[in-house]
Amino acid sequence: MGWNNDFDIGAILIIGLLVLYYLVRQIIPIKRNKIFLNMMINVQVFALFDILGSASINWNIPLIFKFTFNILYYACLGLDTFLFGYFCYALTDKYREHDSSLLQKIYFVPLIIYELCVFTTPFTGLIFDIDNEGFTYGPGRIIVFINIVLYLTIGEGIIGKWGRRFRRMYRYAIAGYSICLIIGNIMQMFFMPYITMVAISETVGILTLYLSFETPENFIDKKVLLYNDEGYNEILFEYIRSGKRFKLVEMGIHNFSAMENVYGIDIRERALFEVGKYFRNKYPKHLIFYDDGRFYMFFNPDEDMKTIYKEACERFNETFHTPALGVKVSPYFAYLPEGYYFNDEKSLRTTMDNALYKAKDGEDMSVVIINDEIIADGKRDKKITTALERALDNNELKIFYQPIYDTKEKRITCAEALVRIDDPELGLIFPDDFIWRAERNGSILELGQQVFEKTCEFIKNYDIGKYGIHYIEVNLSPIQCMRAQLADEFEQIVKKAGISPSMINLEVTETASSSNMLKNNMLKLYTFGINFSLDDYGTGYSNLVNILKLPISIVKIDKSITWDYFQKGNTLLANVVKMFLERKMDIVVEGVETEEMARKLSEMGVHYEQGYYFSKPVPEDIFVKYLEDHMEEGSYNI
């Protein structure tokens, strides 16, 4: 009697290559990756002992060695599917909810019973027996198969109950793993007992998992070759859960979006690759992540951050070379010192984002250090986010309207719709506090649609045309502009409300104006009858040539330019007004706060004026009353 170990040898070679590649790629040290690595190593180990155990039967060595080799094979075989079940658990959100529960303790019980059966086999002959006549299977051999099926069933059950958000491919891969193991064990146990097939079936299952979602590349940003945002979330969770001490730096880049317009996307991405290369070479043993213009770097508690910051300043004062040209990258930083505790990764990320948001307003190389005040802001952020979600779920957004004065007709002829949240705990929440949060968590699409629907309903319900209003301006987020279905959805909303499309004027920003998707949406809506304004001109970096190609008839000049003109004598406002007047475009100037400002702007040739001099944004009923009081020409003495 002899065994055929060819499949075992193949399994050892294949899994060996996978383990080597897994380690060379420096996998993120999270639970699921550690378990998966142990699964691969365990396959190698039990395949090795399978070879030694079967071959040793014919060797002239003491029985204790023969028993040892075979016991270790069966011990590792039992551990294999146990690891699989735990791997499935580590993939789910349920793992995030529990640290040490009774269920986890119970999970070990079948393995312990199985291993006791294996290690007592020399005395009981339950699993197998070895004597001078050779190797024989014991009456309890079926226990091996029961243990395998039990833990495979548990793993599949975990995925079925708590893995509903998994992609279909992931679920198929996990099911494929189980099928491979069952087939391999059935074939060896019942049909070909002397051909060692278990290891190769396990290897096929491992390959299925590996290629589907466990390859290290799934956690790598392919543009910068650093770990990606998914990996960042996972490592934050692991660190917070384990209580690991660390320092964290988050780095943003000034005018990240504008760099695409200035340099082109290829040069920008190459410059970011060079930034990532600098960090990889400078801190080869550190965890560094990248996502959409932001870098996240973990440092040890004992590292000198002042020296690290000084070195970063020296490097970023120089350009990053690309094949085409040198690019100046202007960073800003948020720094989390050691010693702050967070309940979850979402709270930590929110706090870091708030700090980075503050740093963005500073100069090049500015740093905001996390402190108690910023953490308090993070807690408020959570409340604002909750208030936003509640308002969206209950359709409770409040739309305020700010009138816009027409210098030709000398009365109010249009207005801007501005969204607010009226929260029972926080009171009135303004857009600066929640729009960027909505953009960050993806709810901006729902928010934008609700604002548009409510504005259309307002136009219809109050028949505001009878008050001399020509149109209402509605802001579009850059993220909304990227939505391919935007034009079709807005057309349906206008038709449902039964209003004229000309009563709507959509405001787009400079940063979104270079998007081909926006251009497509604008052309569809413009053909439908909706007009467009360019909002906040002077705060972005768009190419004027590209702007003039869009169906835009009105340009809104940001209030910061207005105030610079009246407070500091900056001539930019006069030059911008002259430039657009020469191009036969209407101009709205924001930030008008005094009668003197209104008069001078009118003399300058500005068509529309908007600001607190005329009115703050007010609820719709107050706005309608305002219109009733200012319908006549000459309501303002300008």
Side-chain angles (χ1 to χ4, degrees), residues 117-130:
C117 292
V118 171
F119 280 96
T120 57
T121 284
F123 311 102
T124 63
L126 183 63
I127 307 298
F128 64 88
D129 194 17
I130 303 173

Side-chain angles (χ1 to χ4, degrees), residues 562-573:
T562 308
W563 293 343
D564 277 351
Y565 176 78
F566 284 98
Q567 295 173 6
K568 302 176 183 179
N570 191 320
T571 60
L572 178 60
L573 175 64

Side-chain angles (χ1 to χ4, degrees), residues 7 35 56 64 107 129 159 223 236 241 261 290 310 331 356 388 403 412 451 500 537 587 599:
F7 287 133
I35 296 172
S56 67
I64 188 172
Y107 182 71
D129 194 17
I159 296 301
K223 296 177 182 177
L236 279 179
R241 182 185 175 109
N261 297 322
Y290 172 81
K310 180 181 178 181
L356 199 66
L388 171 63
I412 303 300
V451 170
S500 170
Y537 182 81
I587 301 167
R599 183 177 294 109

Side-chain angles (χ1 to χ4, degrees), residues 207-355:
L207 274 171
T208 303
L209 298 178
Y210 184 91
L211 296 174
S212 298
F213 56 87
E214 267 305 308
T215 172
E217 275 67 27
N218 286 343
F219 292 101
I220 297 292
D221 183 277
K222 295 177 176 59
K223 296 177 182 177
V224 183
L225 298 185
L226 295 173
Y227 294 127
N228 59 21
D229 190 63
E230 181 182 354
Y232 180 52
N233 276 331
E234 293 290 342
I235 202 67
L236 279 179
F237 166 73
E238 295 286 344
Y239 279 10
I240 292 172
R241 182 185 175 109
S242 64
K244 183 178 177 65
R245 297 165 59 232
F246 61 88
K247 296 175 179 177
L248 177 61
V249 173
E250 184 172 341
M251 186 188 89
I253 298 173
H254 284 293
N255 306 327
F256 170 72
S257 298
M259 287 175 68
E260 179 179 341
N261 297 322
V262 174
Y263 299 110
I265 189 169
D266 291 338
I267 293 178
R268 185 188 72 174
E269 297 302 331
R270 182 53 191 258
L272 293 175
F273 173 82
E274 293 298 325
V275 173
K277 182 179 178 181
Y278 163 71
F279 286 133
R280 287 196 306 273
N281 294 337
K282 187 70 177 177
Y283 309 109
K285 296 183 179 180
H286 291 65
L287 289 173
I288 307 172
F289 302 80
Y290 172 81
D291 177 57
D292 196 26
R294 291 187 177 186
F295 294 82
Y296 312 89
M297 293 163 279
F298 288 88
F299 293 93
N300 297 323
D302 57 349
E303 292 190 78
D304 183 3
M305 300 308 295
K306 290 183 178 180
T307 300
I308 291 172
Y309 174 70
K310 180 181 178 181
E311 292 172 346
C313 288
E314 291 174 354
R315 178 63 187 90
F316 281 94
N317 278 328
E318 302 174 0
T319 59
F320 286 85
H321 295 289
T322 72
L325 51 87
V327 176
K328 182 69 168 62
V329 178
S330 301
Y332 52 95
F333 304 91
Y335 167 51
L336 175 67
E338 181 209 356
Y340 286 101
Y341 174 76
F342 294 87
N343 292 323
D344 53 59
E345 67 274 20
K346 186 176 181 180
S347 299
L348 191 155
R349 291 202 68 161
T350 297
T351 301
M352 292 296 291
D353 286 348
N354 288 345

